Amino acid sequence: MSENVRPKNIVLVHGGFVDGSGWQGVYEQLSQEGYRVSIVQNPTLSLDGDVSATRQVLDSLDGPAVLVGHSYGGVVITEAGNHEKVTDLVYIAAFAPDKGESVSTLIADPPPSAPVPPILPPQDGFLFLDRDKFAASFAADVPAGLAAFMADSQVPWGVDALNGAVSRPAWRTKPAWYLVAADDRMIPPPAQRAMAERTGAQTVEVPGSHAVYVSRPGAVADLVKQAAER
């Protein structure tokens, strides 16, 4: 691809417990800027399935794309980002695993002071967050009514997705960008900073909960535009 060809396609990948509708604010801002924005409704049953869903969207595009992932979506874009149309990876308060790593391995040994996400014991192979603790842990800066809706409309997150390991991390060959959510109580900010540093990402840090893509869509869109205009 010519260095003069800037991606006009943006592909957004959501994480666990939620669906793609949380990207609406980011979608609207980027669309207004003239980007063609696609949202992957990845089923979060397994990493392989979510990578396939993302690749299907990338296959349908007419040119290069910036691939964006939130939370577990960072694992998805780390693998799916090897697609030939992907120019840059953007991690939004996301996991950025290396080869052989998964969400399960990345959260296996949290520091003693780290907040503990209120993940309930698996039910039939699926995970949920405690609805009563969802807002405080996932969406503390989201309006109360919307946070309650997010808690009550959770998407079952498959244990197979949690354990899905990356085979070829795309950030080793493609530029990475990272937005650290400074008030995150799902993925500790120090862990986010460490993953961003490991990937060599251009990094910004903003006040925000784990749902920073919902509460601060402008900050998220700005970083995505930086990647697209590189």
Side-chain angles (χ1 to χ4, degrees), residues 53-69:
T54 304
R55 290 186 63 88
Q56 186 176 42
V57 171
L58 290 165
D59 285 342
S60 72
L61 301 179
D62 60 358
V66 172
L67 186 57
V68 184

Side-chain angles (χ1 to χ4, degrees), residues 14-34:
H14 65 81
F17 308 118
V18 296
D19 65 11
S21 62
W23 287 114
Q24 184 173 354
V26 176
Y27 169 91
E28 290 172 349
Q29 296 214 17
L30 292 170
S31 296
Q32 289 169 7
E33 295 278 348

Side-chain angles (χ1 to χ4, degrees), residues 14-20 41-45 126-129 131 150-158:
H14 65 81
F17 308 118
V18 296
D19 65 11
Q41 290 285 16
N42 45 310
T44 66
L45 300 179
F126 294 101
L127 300 168
F128 292 90
L129 291 177
R131 283 174 166 78
M150 293 171 69
D152 287 332
S153 62
Q154 287 182 63
V155 177
W157 189 19

